[in-house]
Amino acid sequence: TGAARGIGVANSKRFFVEGWNVALLDIEAETLGQTFKALASPDNTLAIECDVSDAKAVGFAIAKVSERFGRLDALVNNAGIAIFKPLLETMQADWDRVLAVNLTGPFLCTQAAAPLIREHGGGAIVNISSVASLVGIPLLSAYAASKGALDALTRSIAIDYATDGIRCNVVNPGLIDTPMAAPLMANPDQLGSILSHYPIRRPGKPEEVANMVLYLASDESAWVTGGTFRIDGGMTVW
Ligand code: NAD
């Protein structure tokens, strides 16, 4: 999900390299169309316009995946939004939307996808959270709350569905060079101040996150479930 740009595109490319078929879900139809055209052969790619916070749209998307590929081996809950505001300026509409996309989205996608994953012998769910779920970061109250809850949801799913062969893990990236992070990276002074918290003093690359996502989605990680995996240049250990 959230496959039209940023980390979602890097994930898709990484999976293609390994020979997977990939369904790209995104709310932004135009960007999704461009990404679809620029990616691998249409034979192993399916693009579906879908708002992950809309249960009906998610159900429809998973049905299309089933119809096209006949099975589902992994779900990557990557779609997310961030609103950079202090708590007192965070309107309830901001709060509701961030929670709807970042938390209700993975809940709905997992509910729709898990039966199909289970039907064909199991697989993996990878949730994309953030370091904001682990340490305090300014101006991200709604976002941090959504990602903290996503980490907790991951552990619950891992326990409930382990015996069905479904593993569920969460990835917690630090600052990654994508359109979402652009407002934080535009000003060199602000970027320098953010990177002073990173032992490896550069933003991460979407491809670096994709490597971890592929590991957690594939059988290489067959005995790994319920885990939180930081990919943050050392930010959270400082
Ligand atoms: P991005 O904004 O570049 O891309 C996000 C994609 O999600 C977009 O294509 C957008 O259209 C899509 N999307 C938004 N709302 C949607 C919805 N309701 N339904 C379907 N698709 C929707 O962001 P990114 O940096 O690639 O972020 C991907 C994930 O990584 C997010 O969950 C984000 O919270 C997380 N993350 C990003 C960073 C970072 O610094 N970039 C750091 C930590 C975590």
Side-chain angles (χ1 to χ4, degrees), residues 2 4-8 26-28 50-53 78-81 97 101 128-130 143 147 173-176 178-181:
R5 66 181 204 197
I7 294 169
D26 205 285
I27 194 172
E28 288 288 339
C50 174
D51 177 349
V52 295
S53 71
N78 168 77
I81 55 170
R97 188 62 189 154
V101 177
I128 309 300
S129 177
S130 165
Y143 183 82
K147 296 298 192 181
L175 183 71
I176 307 295
T178 71
M180 177 185 279

Side-chain angles (χ1 to χ4, degrees), residues 36-47:
F36 178 74
K37 269 194 214 149
L39 278 174
S41 69
D43 283 353
N44 50 12
T45 317
L46 176 65

Side-chain angles (χ1 to χ4, degrees), residues 74-104:
L75 164 69
V76 183
N77 282 312
N78 168 77
I81 55 170
I83 292 175
F84 300 96
K85 284 184 185 175
L87 180 79
L88 297 184
E89 287 167 31
T90 301
M91 300 292 109
Q92 191 178 341
D94 298 331
W95 174 270
D96 288 347
R97 188 62 189 154
V98 170
L99 271 283
V101 177
N102 296 3
L103 181 59
T104 307

